[in-house]
Structures are given as structure tokens and as C-alpha cells.
Amino acid sequence: MEKKEQIYLYIRKDTLNKLKSKNYDNLGLDTLSVSLDLKMNRANISRLLNQLYNEGRIIKTASRPVLFIDRASLETYIQNTYIPSIIPKDKELKDYLSDTADYKEENTVNSFSRYITNLRHSKMAEPVKRAKSAILYPSGLNTIIIGDRGTGRFQFARAMANYAKEVQFVDEKKKASIVECLNYNVSNEESFLKLLFGEYIAKNNAHKKGLFQQSQNNIIILNNMDQLPSNALSALYSAILDKSFSPINSQKIYELKTLIIATSSKPVLGDDGDIRRCFPMLINLPNLHERSIVEKLVLILQYLQDEAALIDNTIRISKDALSCFVMSEYKGNLAHLRAEIRQACAMGYQDYLNKNAFFIDIDFDEISTPVLENIFDVDKRIDELKDTLNLFTNDYLFFSSRLPNPELQLLYDLDRSPNAEENLNIQTIGEEMTNQCIADIESASSIQMNTIRSLFLQKIYKLVYPLIKKHAICKNEKLLYGLLLHISNEIDRITSNNTTLAYSNLTNKIARASDYTYAMSIIHAVQETYKILFPESEADYIATYLYLSSQWINKRYIQLLIISSNKETSKNYADFINGQSFKTYASYITLPPDETTQDIIDTVTEKMNQIDKGRGIIIITDNPVIRENSNLISMNYHGEFTTMEDLTIQKIVSIAKRVESLGATIQSSNVFENFTITETAQNTPIQTHAQELLQDIQDKLLSESLIFLNPEKTCQSLFNVLLNIISDLSIQYSDDLLIKFIFHTAFTLERCIRKEPYVYPKSRSLIRQNRKLFDILEKNFETITEIFSVQIPAGEMGFIIEIFLPYCSF
């Protein structure tokens, strides 16, 4: 092992040990301590430590003696804390750490965060829903998790146990007791019973507590419970059913207050009477080949992320290689998939060592032959795979031990439900009566018809149906009978002399004139037949019910129009939305860069008129021309529309989920305001002019010179960072500053990716003399670290400090 790596591992071990014990006061090692412990020359130690610092792998203090701490360990174990590369003299490292900083145990399953549960094709949504229900139910429900080997039964059980801590069902400081039932057979079943129930040892007059006593008000996980001997199972079932147990060789009876989560690979257990009585909650986990493409993709990305953290190295995989892993089938389910990924990483690691590469590369050569040979049903699944992979900007995905993979984070973001409050806003658009109509329609759509086809409703049916047989509601018998049921209840209320009105008249009437005509004809017929008088609000209810029913039946939802000038962005986003089977539909336009304003407006309005379903259109675009000229759109499109400029797939998915609500209308566009990124008056002229200059830098300089970086992504990211730095420094924007910063920093990132950073001799003195400027730069470069997974070392920061010095007054 190289001396530098030996020194790094020594510092890493010291940092980890002190973080684990929360010994923050003594974090860090000085040069003398390292040289004495490793028995190396102090001058060489100092030189190698500075190399590690310049590479961004360790941080140091500005105090004397200088202390060195492993950066990766801090980022792994201390969450949500910013720590600079150099700790100033007037501060200590512990000043940056929260008193409640938590130790992050490796391989911890964080509740259900690793499961895809909200996207339309999720196969794990139902298991997770059942698991949460079992925990949230008063006193909890014993649960049995059934699945073939390798489906992740044990990991799912651990996720349930962690969820129990999150919702405070059990004390968060207590650990679930885990019993591996494969270790017990007929020859040692007594050992299993003693483990659970405890025992009384007569010769010592001692009581040895079992897990049932130790785990009072806690959780026990019985992994592979189906492998237990029959006598052991019988004793376990009896204790659960009696809710009590006695230790072996003892007559004492103890109450059983333990929640039991069991796993089994035998589906037949789910039909066993004793099993179902002992474990009311039954959860079936699907095999890997039954899960959706997105779910498989998330698993693969997560395994690669785990592997990068495990070996503390960066892994790169091509989209093509990733597609092979996703499309292949694995007889051993998740365990088999993970083994194949680890094998591919090992193959790539060998080349990494031989070539002294910057990262471990995984391509076709690293994939095993069985994976390539077991790719089936390509035609059925390829569209979903393409729609998802097209959301990823780059052809290669990187996994770092220091930062989360952005593509994986994107998929997790897409899976998250919209904010509950935003959902409530969109669901409750309008007044109480409108919302009740929505609830009644949703209830009627799932009603059992034989429960409402009574003689009384048949009489109302014969009276009402001839009046509305041409209305769209008659296409759906359930919705029609839902309306008849409401009319029946209203007749009962009036004839029983109940004068309490459910609703007042609507202020905001959303139904059409034709719906009100139908409503009035129904009311007149019912009043004449039953000799009653309906309140005026009944016309509003019936008309609104008829209108919303027609929207539900004809699927006339608000339409989405995605417009972009950036290559295939709009098409890729629209394909993904439509592949998720939302009730709304996403159309797209890709605008050529040289189109005039009038041409853009003509193209957009023509498309809007084509796709309009009568409920309005939401435009999501990155083109400011469209929002700035909404008045021109109004001249050629007479429907309702609103425009948003936050063109990210996460926001589009969130919008799609919300507008498919039956009560959503364009009038409710105020709930979308938070999606729109508005620019301040100060930055608008800067950005308008600077974007043209950025385009020139990108096309004429960076496109031909950058190898590892995407020029467009690099320019936009660095430009946003520059604007933040300008704001923090309170200095004026200038083209000269923009050119210097973008040009120099882009190539700095390229050098760092190649592991060839410059060491500027003046960097140390520049940082020391310009501490405030350095802190501002380092804080804003965190964004660059997150985007490109690369740390700019202090040796390069000297150049960047010199760029800003002429513009600063301090």
C-alpha cells in the first residue's frame, strides 16, 4: 500500500472512532502524532497530508498544531452540517457539529424510503400500505411477510420495525429482537422455546428471561418462521392466541405484550387457520420480475450507490449497461441481482487498478453472460425503460461515496406524493356543495349496484331516466344510481319534516346551462309526483353532479402542454407522464431556437386548440417568451389556461397528480403559483444579456474543449453559482467577471475530474488573507460539488480568489 493511502486510512479510522464515541473535543490528528504512530519521517508525513488536503479528502484546522480530519467520515456520520475545508483559528470543529448529531449506522434500513410506492406502476405500494396499517393500528397487528427467497422479506421486516420507531409505536432507542429460525430444527427446538419464553433453572433457583420478557412493548422479527419444527410453531401459536406465556419449567404466567413480525417463503401458510388468527396482517412480496421497470431501476441504482459507499470509490455505468441489468431476469430475485452488480463492480475494479483510472467503469464487458442471456420480453417493457432513462441528462451515471446519485434522487422525488396541503387546496376548489358532489361521485363509482336497486329507487328511475336519457351520466349506471340515491334521501328528509338544509346556494356555479335545464326538469317532476317542495339549493346540487359526472365519464381533464427549446426535453417529459397512466394527457412542443415571438405564439396556440378538452390547459415551459406574451395567446385561444416556468419532471408529475382530481379547474391556478420561478427586477436584465454571452462561451470555447463535462450544464450551473456569489459579496455584475469565472472554473472542474488539479503556491496565503471571500466561495461551491460529484481543492481556490479580488472592497 502506498504511504499516502496508509496515512489516509489511519486518519479515517481515527475520525470514525471519535465520531462514533462522540468524542468531538479530540477530533483530528497532528503531523507529529501520525509520524510517531506510523513510524514515518515527519517531513514526508507533512507533504503527504497536504496532498490529501489538496485532493479534498481531508480537512484541517488553521490552529497550531494543525489537525487533520477525514472529510468522507464527517459527511457520512454527521448529517445536515456544513463544515469548511479549513477550520478558522477562532473556531473548533465541534462548533460546527450539532449536540444532537447522530451516528449513521451502515446498512440501516430507513423505514420505507427505499421503496417506490406512489408511481402508477408500483408493485410495492400495497405491501407498504399494509405494513404501515399494521403498525398504526391500536396495539399493532402481528404480521407475516410471505415471498419467495430473495424478495427482501427480512429487509422489509426491518423497515417495518424502523417505521414503528418513526411513528413512536415503540421507543426509538430500543432495537427490534431478531431470531433467525433457520438455526433451529427438531434437535434443538427446546433451545428456541427457551430463547422466546425464558426458563426457570431449579438448581440455581434462577429465572432466565426470554425474548418475550425482554421485548415487552417492542418488536420481535422471526425470520424464516416456516422452517421451525411443528412443536415450536404450536407453542408459539398458543402464546400468541392466549396473549400470555410461561417460562420453561415455570408455572408463572406473563402477559404477552410484543408485536411479532414473521417472514416465510411458503405461501400456503397464508391459508392456515392458526397462522391467520395469530398474524392478522398478511403481506405478499412480489418477485423481482413482477415489479415495474422503475422499481427495478431504483433497486439497481441503490445497490450501485451502496457499493460505492462500501468500497469508498466512484462507480460509473453507461445507460446501455444499466438497461441490460434492468431488462434481465433473476431467478434468485433481489439477492441474485445484487450479486450480479457486485460481480460487475469487481470486474470493473480490476481495470481501475490496472489503468490507475479515476473511477470504476461498468460497461458490457463487466456484465456477466447470464445477465445478457436472460433478457426477455423486450417489446413489452422497452417503452417504460426508455421513458424513464430519457429523464436522465447524461449517457453515464456516477455513484460516489460522498454524494447521493442525482438520478436515483430524481426517481425518489418523482415517487413522493404532492404536499398534503396542496392536495387539499386542489381537492376543495369551490364550495362545500361542489366538494360533496365530488365525494358522492367517487363513492358511487365503486358502489355495489345490488345494494341500491330497491323498489323505491326503481320508481325514481322510471320517473327521472326519461328526462335525462340524452345526458352523458346515463353512460354509467353507477353514477346515475348515485344521483337517484341522493334524490331519494332528499325526499325522505323532506317527508319526515326535517327542515335542516345541508347546503346553501352555490356562489360559484361551475355547471353548464344545459345541466341546469336537466336539473330543473328533474326537480319539477319529483315535486309534482311526491307533492313536496325542494329547496333552491337542490338545483345547484343536481346540476353540479350532472356536470362533474360528464367530466368523469368523458375524461375531460385539464390538459398539460410541455414546451421546451432544449432538444428532446419536452418529448421525454411528456412520454414519461403519459406512460404513468395519469387521467390527464401531456402534449409537447419543441421550439426551434431561431423562431420569432409571433411564430412561437402561433405554434403554441395552434397546439392548444388541438388538444383542448374543454377544461383548460396548463403550459409548463422554460421559454420566457410564452409567459411574457400570454395576451397574444388569449387572442387566438379562447379557453382557460395558465403558465408555469418550472420545467422539472418532479413538478410536472406533481401537477399531473393534482389536476386529475375531479374538482380541479383552471380557476384554481393560484395553487400552482409556488411552481413558478420569478426573477427579481435586478437580475432580469442581467440574465437576459448574460444568457447570450453564456451561449457564445458554451458554443465557441467549452463545447470543443471539455471532455468529461456537459458544456450546457456546466455553463448554467456555474452561472447560477456566480449570481449567488455576486449577491453575497454585494458587487456588480460584469461581462469580464462572467467570462473569467466560467472559463477558469469549467476547466478547474475538468482537471479535478481527471485527478490533475493545479497546486497554486499562493493559495495558502490568499486564503489566509481573504478569509471572508474564501468562506463565501466555498459555501457557494457546495452546489457544484453536489452536481458534479467533485471537490475543488484549496490549491485551486487561490486562482478563483484572484478572479474576485479586483471587484471586492474588503
Side-chain angles (χ1 to χ4, degrees), residues 233-247:
L233 282 173
S234 297
L236 173 64
Y237 297 161
S238 296
I240 295 175
L241 293 173
D242 294 340
K243 298 182 180 179
S244 63
F245 65 95
S246 295

Side-chain angles (χ1 to χ4, degrees), residues 60-236:
K60 62 183 181 181
T61 66
S63 60
R64 288 291 182 266
V66 177
L67 300 176
F68 297 89
I69 307 102
D70 176 39
R71 176 184 286 277
S73 298
L74 286 173
E75 292 174 348
T76 301
Y77 288 93
I78 306 297
Q79 303 296 307
N80 303 320
T81 303
Y82 165 70
I83 300 176
S85 295
I86 298 180
I87 307 299
K89 285 183 179 180
D90 58 342
K91 286 185 176 291
E92 296 181 20
L93 184 59
K94 66 177 182 180
D95 295 332
Y96 294 89
L97 309 180
S98 169
D99 293 334
T100 59
D102 294 324
Y103 170 73
K104 181 182 176 184
E105 296 183 9
E106 293 184 3
N107 300 322
T108 296
V109 179
N110 180 20
S111 184
F112 298 105
S113 62
R114 291 172 71 138
Y115 296 97
I116 295 295
T117 58
N118 289 319
L119 289 177
R120 299 307 174 96
H121 305 308
S122 169
K123 301 299 182 183
M124 290 300 295
E126 182 63 23
V128 171
K129 181 180 179 181
R130 286 172 175 256
K132 290 182 176 180
S133 298
I135 298 297
L136 294 172
Y137 195 75
S139 300
L141 291 180
N142 289 340
T143 301
I144 184 165
I145 302 166
I146 297 177
D148 291 342
R149 288 196 176 277
T151 50
R153 292 171 289 131
F154 178 60
Q155 288 79 7
F156 193 85
R158 291 181 62 197
M160 282 188 68
N162 282 340
Y163 180 73
K165 292 181 181 180
E166 286 184 12
V167 298
Q168 299 179 342
F169 177 80
V170 297
D171 190 336
E172 62 178 11
K173 296 179 182 178
K174 293 182 179 179
K175 292 184 179 181
S177 298
I178 298 171
V179 179
E180 179 48 72
C181 299
L182 288 171
N183 297 332
Y184 301 93
N185 51 35
V186 175
S187 63
N188 61 357
E189 66 180 32
E190 187 175 349
S191 300
F192 172 77
L193 297 177
K194 289 179 180 179
L195 175 69
L196 283 189
F197 301 123
E199 65 173 320
Y200 170 68
I201 305 173
K203 65 178 182 179
N204 298 331
N205 191 27
H207 291 270
K208 185 177 180 180
K209 290 184 178 181
L211 289 180
F212 280 165
Q213 280 183 275
Q214 297 171 12
S215 302
Q216 293 279 42
N217 301 314
N218 202 5
I219 293 174
I220 292 179
I221 298 174
L222 300 178
N223 196 37
N224 296 301
M225 187 185 73
D226 54 308
Q227 299 300 311
L228 288 173
S230 58
N231 289 339
L233 282 173
S234 297
L236 173 64

Side-chain angles (χ1 to χ4, degrees), residues 457-506:
L457 285 189
Q458 284 300 314
K459 180 180 178 181
I460 296 177
Y461 177 89
K462 291 177 181 178
L463 174 67
V464 172
Y465 179 76
L467 303 175
I468 59 173
K469 62 183 179 180
K470 293 183 180 181
H471 193 278
I473 193 174
C474 294
K475 297 178 183 178
N476 188 293
E477 188 181 24
K478 290 183 177 181
L479 296 190
L480 174 59
Y481 270 85
L483 176 61
L484 299 180
L485 186 61
H486 167 81
I487 295 173
S488 172
N489 291 335
E490 191 66 12
I491 292 172
D492 286 345
R493 183 188 68 81
I494 296 173
T495 55
S496 63
N497 295 319
N498 183 352
T499 58
T500 303
L501 292 178
Y503 311 104
S504 57
N505 291 359
L506 276 177

Side-chain angles (χ1 to χ4, degrees), residues 358 748-757 790-793:
F358 177 67
T748 298
L749 290 172
E750 187 90 352
R751 287 194 297 272
C752 292
I753 288 176
R754 294 200 308 263
K755 277 194 170 179
E756 298 174 357
V790 64
Q791 182 88 25
I792 296 181

Side-chain angles (χ1 to χ4, degrees), residues 34 639 668 676 699:
V34 177
S668 66
T676 305
D699 296 340

Side-chain angles (χ1 to χ4, degrees), residues 373-422:
E373 290 179 344
N374 286 311
I375 295 176
F376 304 110
D377 298 329
V378 174
D379 292 341
K380 294 180 182 179
R381 301 180 294 170
I382 194 64
D383 288 340
E384 184 186 353
L385 177 63
K386 285 182 177 178
D387 289 347
T388 307
L389 291 182
N390 284 341
L391 300 179
F392 303 159
T393 306
N394 301 315
D395 292 330
Y396 292 90
L397 282 68
F398 287 85
F399 300 86
S400 166
S401 62
R402 302 182 181 185
L403 295 169
N405 172 261
E407 289 81 12
L408 177 60
Q409 194 59 48
L410 170 63
L411 295 181
Y412 279 140
D413 289 343
L414 291 177
D415 187 55
R416 291 181 184 137
S417 293
N419 181 279
E421 292 181 0
E422 293 171 354

